[in-house]
Amino acid sequence: MPDYVETNFDEKSGIVPYKAPWGRWWQTVAEVHAEVDIPAGTKSKFIQVTVKPSHIKVVVLDKVIIEGKLYAVVRTDETVWTLEDKKILHIVLSKADACSKETLWEGLLADDFLADPWTAQEMRKKLDLERFQIDNPGFDFSGAVLKKTYDKVPNSAIERWEEKQKALRAENPPQTCQVDDQTDQPEEQSVESEGS
């Protein structure tokens, strides 16, 4: 596969987005797109997008919207961001590993904005269809539907998170309360009273 092939496959076939608190992200074979909802009327001078090969930081109106280690490495010199209708910040990141067979990003960040298993599987199907389109340019796979069953992604971020949660539960098992079968009975007290 060449370094980069522009297929516009996502425009023809639609996208499989992950909805985040700040907007949404989706991917193609070669790119990851993030759309950040910003206050209407925001000008570009109030936006800072800093992308390093493995890190991203997005600041809008002095508020950090996204910051952290990217799920995989990107080509920083090919990063593009645009302001759409002064209310959406669209960031396009170029995957550094677009030439390899498996380019699925399970999350925008390594430990955050991770797609649920169903969304990740749908993203994989979309990437497979786009690869078919790249390998067979005379055909149109934009309306095709894959009925393929996918195994788990090796060394999946979701799997790693689940293992981490299991380890934390093992280290700190939930505390249980033990209740005695005996009920507290008030002690009998004798009160002497003097008759009048």
Side-chain angles (χ1 to χ4, degrees):
M1 179 188 306
D3 259 3
Y4 179 76
V5 176
E6 181 63 51
T7 62
N8 296 325
F9 189 78
D10 55 335
E11 292 175 14
K12 291 189 261 180
S13 68
I15 60 171
V16 178
Y18 169 83
K19 294 193 186 315
W22 40 262
R24 64 186 184 161
W25 73 268
W26 73 92
Q27 62 189 307
T28 65
V29 167
E31 300 172 333
V32 175
H33 296 253
E35 283 186 348
V36 180
D37 298 324
I38 59 175
T42 303
K43 296 181 180 178
S44 61
K45 67 181 180 180
F46 299 116
I47 299 170
Q48 293 175 322
V49 177
T50 307
V51 177
K52 295 179 181 173
S54 297
H55 190 268
I56 187 170
K57 183 174 183 180
V58 178
V59 180
V60 178
L61 298 170
D62 295 329
K63 180 181 176 189
V64 177
I65 307 296
I66 303 170
E67 182 175 22
K69 181 181 178 194
L70 288 165
Y71 187 82
V73 178
V74 297
R75 297 176 180 172
T76 57
D77 57 336
E78 295 179 15
T79 299
V80 176
W81 66 268
T82 57
L83 184 57
E84 298 175 6
D85 300 326
K86 294 187 178 180
K87 62 181 181 179
I88 296 175
L89 169 63
H90 188 162
I91 304 166
V92 181
L93 305 166
S94 292
K95 296 177 180 179
D97 60 354
C99 297
S100 67
K101 185 168 174 73
E102 183 62 60
T103 61
L104 175 72
W105 282 33
E106 292 181 69
L108 180 63
L109 302 180
D111 296 319
D112 208 356
F113 313 120
L114 297 172
D116 60 87
W118 183 85
T119 303
Q121 179 171 326
E122 293 303 305
M123 287 179 171
R124 270 181 95 180
K125 287 179 182 179
K126 202 57 98 167
L127 293 180
D128 283 351
L129 287 173
E130 186 179 359
R131 280 190 203 95
F132 292 152
Q133 184 71 56
I134 292 168
D135 293 342
N136 303 284
F139 295 95
D140 182 7
F141 292 94
S142 61
V145 176
L146 284 180
K147 297 195 184 238
K148 179 178 176 183
T149 303
Y150 290 88
D151 294 329
K152 288 185 176 180
V153 177
N155 199 21
S156 161
I158 294 170
E159 196 173 291
R160 289 191 310 267
W161 180 84
E162 288 173 345
E163 288 172 5
K164 186 177 175 183
Q165 295 304 311
K166 283 181 189 175
L168 287 173
R169 283 193 298 271
E171 289 175 11
N172 303 315
Q175 302 269 334
T176 57
C177 296
Q178 293 183 344
V179 179
D180 290 336
D181 290 339
Q182 301 172 349
T183 56
D184 291 338
Q185 299 289 333
E187 292 180 19
E188 289 184 23
Q189 297 179 353
S190 57
V191 177
E192 292 182 22
S193 57
E194 291 180 19
S196 27

